[in-house]
Amino acid sequence: MAVDEQGDVLQWGRAYSHTFLPEVTLKDKSITQVAISGDNVICLSRNGKVYILPASKSDLLSGPKPTESSWIPFWSSPSEVSYTTLYLPEKIRYIASGDDHFLLLSKSGKVYSAATTPDGNTFGQLGVETQPNDPLLNPHPIPISQDPITQIAAGERHALALTSRGEVYSWGSNAQGQLLQQFSRNNFTCPSPTLVPFQRLIPGIQSVDGIAAGGANSFIVATVNGDVEVYASGSGMWGQLGSGVWNQIQHRPVRVKTIQGLAEWSENLGRKVNIGVRYMTVGENHIAAVLDNDISGGVGGRDVFIWGCGEAYQLGHGKVCCGWIVTDFSEIT
């Protein structure tokens, strides 16, 4: 799935149809972001509205189609495809999705969660208590912190939230230690947001600047003793931790090798400056971190670090392997 420059949604692939060719599905909604969870495609519009589409073409065509107004006065007609509009008390600015749930971050800094399958809260990934017969796609407000939430991230069955004060909360499954919290063999779920004690876990940490999650892993971008560093927790069986150690459970955050102490000379400032992490994307078993530098003289090319599982060539260096590797893509923006 993707969003084109007009803000229309394109879908393709085995879950969509057998043609494997991109097709425009949801039109004229000014969509800016899409994510998938369960059999649903979650779409966020430029004006903060959220639309839910079926992932399959047959359901798009056969499901209930809402009535839409036309540019012709007093004229309306059914939509070309089936979709659901989520009615929320405020506008949304970001979405994050897991296997069976998704999160919504409002423009005021509040977080909502919803289940997309009956297993949507089996591991506490919604962050609130729900009943087994609660309807799907029903947003629940999550009481996390009195401070506004600035970032959210979702793994398969867990979630993270970063506050305006730089505090991180985690909840959901902790079966591989992905919550950055103490792992317990007797209780590996956390059904409500819990503060991660980074001051105790990472000596010298000054601030948490970003979060990311995917699969059974969590990541933070932090400033530690003046340097930008990335820390990871969770499963490391495919090298996802980037620490050079392959282990199944890692609850204490470990530093991702190579992403520490990176700096470059600034001609404008006449001194060396730290290179930060612009953003991270986390798959089920592999990770990409785009650095906040520019290696193309203003065109917008940036360095990228890629590590984790490469059994399907997803690390981008042409080899089948698992581990961590630095890859330089000068056209990444």
Side-chain angles (χ1 to χ4, degrees):
M1 60 186 177
V3 180
D4 65 17
E5 59 185 2
Q6 283 79 36
D8 296 336
V9 177
L10 293 90
Q11 293 176 241
W12 68 92
R14 184 173 288 107
Y16 173 68
S17 71
H18 294 289
T19 63
F20 306 119
L21 295 175
E23 296 180 353
V24 176
T25 54
L26 188 63
K27 302 177 182 178
D28 304 323
K29 302 297 183 187
S30 298
I31 301 301
T32 59
Q33 186 189 357
V34 290
I36 193 164
S37 177
D39 294 326
N40 302 275
V41 177
I42 302 96
C43 308
L44 175 63
S45 73
R46 183 172 290 105
N47 60 5
K49 291 185 178 180
V50 178
Y51 303 92
I52 309 295
L53 299 173
S56 75
K57 184 175 182 179
S58 60
D59 291 339
L60 276 168
L61 298 178
S62 63
K65 301 178 178 63
T67 300
E68 297 181 328
S69 59
S70 170
W71 61 272
I72 304 175
F74 310 110
W75 180 268
S76 61
S77 61
S79 167
E80 295 181 4
V81 297
S82 174
Y83 68 85
T84 300
T85 303
L86 292 190
Y87 293 98
L88 296 147
E90 53 187 328
K91 294 182 178 181
I92 302 301
R93 65 182 177 90
Y94 190 78
I95 56 179
S97 66
D99 278 9
D100 308 294
H101 75 294
F102 63 90
L103 306 176
L104 305 171
L105 177 60
S106 76
K107 293 188 176 181
S108 69
K110 295 183 176 65
V111 179
Y112 300 83
S113 63
T116 54
T117 77
D119 294 325
N121 206 24
T122 303
F123 296 89
Q125 59 265 52
L126 293 187
V128 293
E129 184 177 353
T130 59
Q131 300 301 318
N133 58 350
D134 280 356
L136 301 179
L137 307 180
N138 181 33
H140 304 274
I142 309 177
I144 299 176
S145 170
Q146 293 183 345
D147 299 308
I149 303 300
T150 59
Q151 294 182 35
I152 55 174
E156 288 182 353
R157 297 179 178 88
H158 73 287
L160 304 175
L162 175 64
T163 74
S164 59
R165 293 179 58 189
E167 295 178 328
V168 176
Y169 289 79
S170 63
W171 64 95
S173 173
N174 198 32
Q176 278 75 47
Q178 59 264 53
L179 296 188
L180 300 150
Q181 308 275 4
Q182 179 66 46
F183 172 79
S184 172
R185 294 185 181 277
N186 298 322
N187 183 16
F188 54 84
T189 63
C190 182
S192 59
T194 303
L195 179 65
V196 180
F198 283 123
Q199 295 296 332
R200 177 171 57 84
L201 295 173
I202 304 175
I205 188 170
Q206 297 166 274
S207 65
V208 177
D209 309 309
I211 57 175
N217 291 100
S218 293
F219 299 85
I220 67 162
V221 180
T223 301
V224 181
N225 295 322
D227 291 331
V228 176
E229 299 182 352
V230 175
Y231 285 79
S233 77
S235 174
M237 293 299 292
W238 298 96
Q240 307 98 299
L241 299 176
S243 63
V245 177
W246 282 256
N247 53 346
Q248 187 173 359
I249 298 171
Q250 179 66 49
H251 66 86
R252 190 181 184 93
V254 294
R255 186 171 54 208
V256 175
K257 287 188 174 182
T258 307
I259 309 183
Q260 69 173 107
L262 300 178
E264 63 184 357
W265 182 263
S266 171
E267 296 292 345
N268 293 332
L269 299 177
R271 61 179 173 85
K272 187 174 67 173
V273 295
N274 289 338
I275 298 176
V277 176
R278 191 173 184 86
Y279 60 87
M280 296 181 64
T281 300
V282 186
E284 182 178 0
N285 292 311
H286 74 293
I287 303 93
V290 180
L291 301 188
D292 199 17
N293 65 340
D294 189 338
I295 60 174
S296 62
V299 177
R302 303 181 190 279
D303 286 315
V304 180
F305 285 59
I306 301 178
W307 66 96
C309 180
E311 64 175 354
Y313 299 97
Q314 59 265 56
L315 298 186
H317 54 68
K319 298 179 181 179
V320 177
C321 69
C322 297
W324 57 269
I325 186 169
V326 180
T327 303
D328 181 356
F329 292 109
S330 61
E331 298 303 319
I332 295 292
T333 59

